[in-house]
């Protein structure tokens, strides 16, 4: 029986075994995209590269036989760099957004498309849960946020952005109007205690998420009531009843709040550090002297922190919001509270901060008018001007049907395969840079509209798996590569439909596809009436 060595491990294999199979048999993980057990390897993706020590050459492990005496290097920087390059080359031709543009535009990175789908389905309790996973104060922000998410919304270029901010408010208002409303189940108690100085958006958000994460929080507020700079906005911008009831709802998660109390001196601060496992400074802008009195370093804007972890240079002390940034957007202050909570949780549970994980995403960037037209075609309910979703404080908001219609304007820009895509998974794991080899040249396109099986050529890595699967089906027409050179793509013979090509094996093809290139139609298009949209006038 052949014996090979992979890194430091000797592996005895059956004759004909590939290096990939040998590695997997001893738990060595090698990424793959175009490989699928039971099918001929096309060896086209090259992400499974390993190094043949004898020749020094990189070889695809899925298509290399494990011959006796072979020595393979898998877990080295050089091999990892080669795999990363293979991923980056695939991504350089890729046309798709793993995550929608609004995800990046929203400082809190709320899952906006999911919230919009839930509103469309009138799933109000699911929608408030989605919102509260990232934003503790949606009713307040719905009224005062400057809406960076809507500025980044792709629909903006077609007619009006989806009224994300107001829809969030509609959901939050509905939740506030119900007695108990949404309350998350906190994680099991950690026994750790966190002191938070300042009960504005940042401090209260941090207390909310830290409590959800199982830590006991004590918030101190210098003023006689919580809310910080929100009280200066005036009743027209932010009705006091909304402010009071949303703070009350947030407090129901179960943290202590003491007003008319702050930390003045270095001695008091030292006692605090003895009594609590972590401290978050979350007061308002411009309190440099107070910070310096406590021994905290400051810069031009506020307290100096590591921007990735919110840690100050004093162990166990963190700072966030306007205490650090000077004068940030309200939504930024809210997001800071959540992110600081995540970092403090890492500190309390792991003993070190790994910081906030930024999600990997292939990104299409600016889309051309004809590409935008393809997105709008799929959305339905077009166009409905944002102003049609006026939230009337006196009547208590908009009706559910109007809200659902507005949410249906979402172009669902994120990829259907997000979270279930092998290219995304490995690109994230190998820290691949989608922009390393320049911006995309190919055009966004969806083939098979009107049918149940859709194909996006820009997401296809030409692995052949669907072609091989379809070729084994007796009853279907099958698939093949069509075109030449760079223009080669998977196609259906005789210009027939994708249903004709893969009808009996469609599910198998969708499951086997290593990306989101083939998928089932997931929503019915409702009213498609582009009217006088910018798409047509461009
Ligand atoms: S196919 Fe994968 S990598 Fe491409 S956009 Fe979709 S999730 Fe991202
Ligand atoms: S159309 Fe929908 S998914 Fe796309 S950016 Fe706007 S809100 Fe986000
Ligand atoms: S569409 Fe077919 S060839 Fe393209 S990536 Fe998916 S399975 Fe591979
Ligand atoms: S070349 Fe081996 S998995 Fe693609």
């Amino acid at each position: 029986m052949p014996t090979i060595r992979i890194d430091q491990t000797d592996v005895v294999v059956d004759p004909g075994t590939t290096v990939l199979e040998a590695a997997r048999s001893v738990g060595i993980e090698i990424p793959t995209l175009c490989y699928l057990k039971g099918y001929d390897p096309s060896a086209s993706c090259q992400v499974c590269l390993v190094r043949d020590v004898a020749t020094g050459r990189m070889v695809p492990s899925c298509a290399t036989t494990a011959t006796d005496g072979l020595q393979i290097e898998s877990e080295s920087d050089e091999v990892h760099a080669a795999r990363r390059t293979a991923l980056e080359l695939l991504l350089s031709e890729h046309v798709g957004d793993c995550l929608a543009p609004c995800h990046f535009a929203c400082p809190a990175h709320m899952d906006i498309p999911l919230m919009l789908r839930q509103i469309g389905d009138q799933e109000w309790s699911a929608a408030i849960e989605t919102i509260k996973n990232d934003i503790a104060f949606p009713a307040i922000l719905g009224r005062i946020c400057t809406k960076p998410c809507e500025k980044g919304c792709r629909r903006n270029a077609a007619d009006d952005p989806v009224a994300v901010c107001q829809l969030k408010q509609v959901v939050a208002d509905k939740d506030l109007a119900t007695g108990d409303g949404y309350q998350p189940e906190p994680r099991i108690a950690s026994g750790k205690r966190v002191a938070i100085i300042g009960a504005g958006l940042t401090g209260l958000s941090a207390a909310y998420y830290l409590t959800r994460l199982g830590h006991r929080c004590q918030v101190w507020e210098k003023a006689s009531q919580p809310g910080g700079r929100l009280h200066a906005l005036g009743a027209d911008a932010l009705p006091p009843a909304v402010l009071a009831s949303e703070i009350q709802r947030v407090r129901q998660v179960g943290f202590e709040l003491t007003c008319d109390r702050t930390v003045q001196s270095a001695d008091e601060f030292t006692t605090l550090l003895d009594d609590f496992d972590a401290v978050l400074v979350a007061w308002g802008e411009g309190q440099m002297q107070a910070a310096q009195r406590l021994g905290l370093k400051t810069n031009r804007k506020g307290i100096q922190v590591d921007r990735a972890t919110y840690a100050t240079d004093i162990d166990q002390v963190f700072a966030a919001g306007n205490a650090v940034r000077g004068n940030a957007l309200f939504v930024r202050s809210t997001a800071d509270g959540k992110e600081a909570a995540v970092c403090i949780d890492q500190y309390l549970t792991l003993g070190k901060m790994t910081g906030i994980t930024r999600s990997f995403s292939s990104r299409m960037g600016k889309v051309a008018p004809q590409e935008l037209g393809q997105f709008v075609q799929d959305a339905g309910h077009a166009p409905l001007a944002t102003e049609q979703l006026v939230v009337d404080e006196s009547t208590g908001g908009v009706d559910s049907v109007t809200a659902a219609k507005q949410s249906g304007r979402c172009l669902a820009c994120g990829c259907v395969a997000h979270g279930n895509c092998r290219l995304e998974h490995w690109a994230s794991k190998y820290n691949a840079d989608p922009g390393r080899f320049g911006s995309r040249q190919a055009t966004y396109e969806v083939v098979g509209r009107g049918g149940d099986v859709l194909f996006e050529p820009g997401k296809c890595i030409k692995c052949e798996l669907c072609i091989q699967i379809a070729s084994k089906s007796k009853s279907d027409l099958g698939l093949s590569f069509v075109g030449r050179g760079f223009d080669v793509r998977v196609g259906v013979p005789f210009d027939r439909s994708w249903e004709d090509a893969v009808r009996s094996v469609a599910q198998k093809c969708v499951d086997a596809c290593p990306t989101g290139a083939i998928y089932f139609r997931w929503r019915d298009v409702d009213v498609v009436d582009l009217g006088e949209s910018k798409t047509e006038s461009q």
Side-chain angles (χ1 to χ4, degrees), residues 29-66:
E29 185 183 69
I30 295 178
T32 58
L33 290 178
C34 68
Y35 167 83
L36 187 66
K37 199 170 165 44
Y39 293 87
D40 296 335
S42 66
S44 57
C45 78
Q46 300 285 298
V47 305
C48 68
L49 290 177
V50 291
R51 192 165 154 270
D52 178 340
V53 176
T55 64
R57 287 178 49 224
M58 294 288 175
V59 293
S61 60
C62 69
T64 303
T65 306

Side-chain angles (χ1 to χ4, degrees), residues 100-102 112-113 116 152-155 162 164 409-414:
C102 53
I112 292 168
L116 294 174
C153 173
R154 180 162 287 149
R155 179 115 212 181
V162 181
V164 173
R409 296 180 60 245
C410 175
L411 306 180
C413 307

